[in-house]
Amino acid sequence: MLRGGGRARRAAAARELQPPLLDTEGRIVPQPTLLQELIATHPIAYCTVAPWMIYIGGVLTSVLVSHCVYALVCSLDDDNLSRSPKLQLACAARLLGMLPRPYAWRRVIRMLEEARRQPTTLLVAHRCLLASNDFWFRLNDKLTRLYYVWIIGVVLYLLAVGEKHRSPFEQMMLQHCAACIALVLLQKALGVGAMLVVIHFPAPSMERAMLSNALERYSDVLSIDEKLQFQLCEDPCVICFCPFEVAPSGEIDAEKHKVRRLAKCGHLFHRRCIDAWLLDHRQRGLHAGVSTLSCPVCGMGIEDAHDLDDDPATTRELAWLAELQRVRF
């Protein structure tokens, strides 16, 4: 698929107008957070694991919230209320902070599921980045941090009361906080474990489909004619080292006489060779990073961030993500 001259000129103009992505010391600008690095380097794993962790966390959190409601109701029958009003207020604050979270979870899950449907890994990373900048995502993150503070505060209060002087309600809340701490640790362990599993054992069909879509979008498939054969007579395919030849008349398997030209750098290869090289021979594992396609001759990535969107802000975000992927791996 050849890109139009007008679009190419707009992309070139966008590059000139945008500020540099690296500072004088070679560091990416702006500096990414830990979450942004995770999204840039492992976008498919992130948008696969995160919704499931939200589902699991949501179910377990609902159970704990139900227990908190039960404890609060039981406190109304507690004869020793002299030490409980502050704790009852803390319970009410816990329930109040829970109200917006189900909608936030649902919205984030929908955005991450939309990200998984993007045709290329760069667009997947961009949609995940948009989800992380969403108001409800940030609100849920702040509520989570307040939840951690709430657990610490309630535990310190109950420890200060002393075991001998705790009412049944206070003892129940101490057990509740212990269950909350266990849930937090379980979620963290499950999240890390699931990410490692998905990174090391990615879904081949999904990853290959995305890479294949990117390859088709940023390259042209040509049939070798006599003119092209003459131009390439001294330049064999660098993958198989075989010359580019015109398909003989009556050739049944004409596929081996087709070439693929990478649109960004212009290098040509046998279609079979470059497809197998880019789609089948990929490094896997934690340090492999995102599966990006690059020319085996010059090492240039075949995706052009400036060609994915005409909006300058979106274009810069895509270019920033692409540069972050390149710098980290």
Side-chain angles (χ1 to χ4, degrees), residues 230-307:
F230 177 77
Q231 293 175 348
L232 301 173
C233 62
E234 297 182 358
D235 298 311
C237 175
V238 298
I239 297 177
C240 66
F241 297 105
C242 294
F244 297 99
E245 298 177 339
V246 179
S249 58
E251 175 74 44
I252 298 177
D253 187 13
E255 188 68 21
K256 66 181 181 181
H257 297 285
K258 289 185 178 180
V259 297
R260 187 182 293 280
R261 179 172 60 193
L262 303 183
K264 196 172 180 181
C265 62
H267 290 122
L268 290 91
F269 313 87
H270 286 125
R271 183 180 181 181
R272 284 183 172 180
C273 297
I274 190 63
D275 287 9
W277 180 276
L278 293 178
L279 300 180
D280 297 329
H281 300 94
R282 302 189 305 276
Q283 184 183 6
R284 298 185 183 278
L286 182 63
H287 300 288
V290 65
S291 293
T292 56
L293 302 177
S294 58
C295 175
V297 174
C298 62
M300 181 181 293
I302 72 168
E303 295 184 57
D304 189 351
H306 298 85
D307 188 49

Side-chain angles (χ1 to χ4, degrees), residues 192-256:
V192 172
M195 281 294 295
L196 290 175
V197 169
V198 175
I199 289 172
H200 283 281
F201 305 100
S205 57
M206 179 181 179
E207 186 179 25
R208 185 182 176 88
M210 286 186 176
L211 295 175
S212 180
N213 288 337
L215 183 58
E216 293 296 332
R217 178 168 185 166
Y218 296 105
S219 65
D220 312 312
V221 176
L222 309 173
S223 296
I224 303 176
D225 55 18
E226 294 181 356
K227 181 180 179 180
L228 184 59
Q229 182 184 22
F230 177 77
Q231 293 175 348
L232 301 173
C233 62
E234 297 182 358
D235 298 311
C237 175
V238 298
I239 297 177
C240 66
F241 297 105
C242 294
F244 297 99
E245 298 177 339
V246 179
S249 58
E251 175 74 44
I252 298 177
D253 187 13
E255 188 68 21
K256 66 181 181 181

Side-chain angles (χ1 to χ4, degrees), residues 1-155:
M1 184 186 300
L2 293 174
R3 294 171 291 175
R7 185 166 189 144
R9 286 193 295 271
R10 288 197 301 272
R15 293 187 187 96
E16 294 178 359
L17 291 174
Q18 290 176 354
L21 295 171
L22 300 177
D23 60 17
T24 56
E25 298 181 358
R27 294 174 299 188
I28 192 166
V29 180
Q31 281 290 303
T33 63
L34 182 60
L35 177 61
Q36 290 172 339
E37 285 200 38
L38 178 64
I39 289 173
T41 53
H42 302 289
I44 298 176
Y46 175 79
C47 67
T48 300
V49 172
W52 281 105
M53 296 311 303
I54 293 175
Y55 280 127
I56 295 173
V59 171
L60 296 178
T61 300
S62 299
V63 173
L64 288 177
V65 168
S66 299
H67 180 264
C68 186
V69 173
Y70 173 74
L72 184 60
V73 172
C74 290
S75 71
L76 300 178
D77 298 329
D78 194 346
D79 295 334
N80 187 5
L81 295 178
S82 59
R83 302 188 186 93
S84 297
K86 293 181 179 179
L87 201 55
Q88 290 174 325
L89 185 61
C91 277
R94 162 95 162 96
L95 299 178
L96 185 63
M98 181 64 188
L99 292 179
R101 300 194 75 178
Y103 177 79
W105 293 337
R106 183 175 174 223
R107 180 176 175 84
V108 173
I109 288 173
R110 289 176 61 184
M111 295 182 73
L112 293 177
E113 289 177 345
E114 178 65 25
R116 292 184 77 243
R117 292 193 287 267
Q118 298 305 303
T120 68
T121 53
L122 185 60
L123 289 176
V124 171
H126 182 245
R127 286 301 183 96
C128 290
L129 187 64
L130 291 179
S132 69
N133 291 328
D134 184 71
F135 167 78
W136 289 98
F137 184 98
R138 290 184 282 109
L139 176 63
N140 183 66
D141 183 63
K142 291 179 180 179
L143 289 174
T144 300
R145 296 173 187 271
L146 288 175
Y147 171 57
Y148 296 157
V149 173
W150 180 88
I151 293 176
I152 295 173
V154 171
V155 169

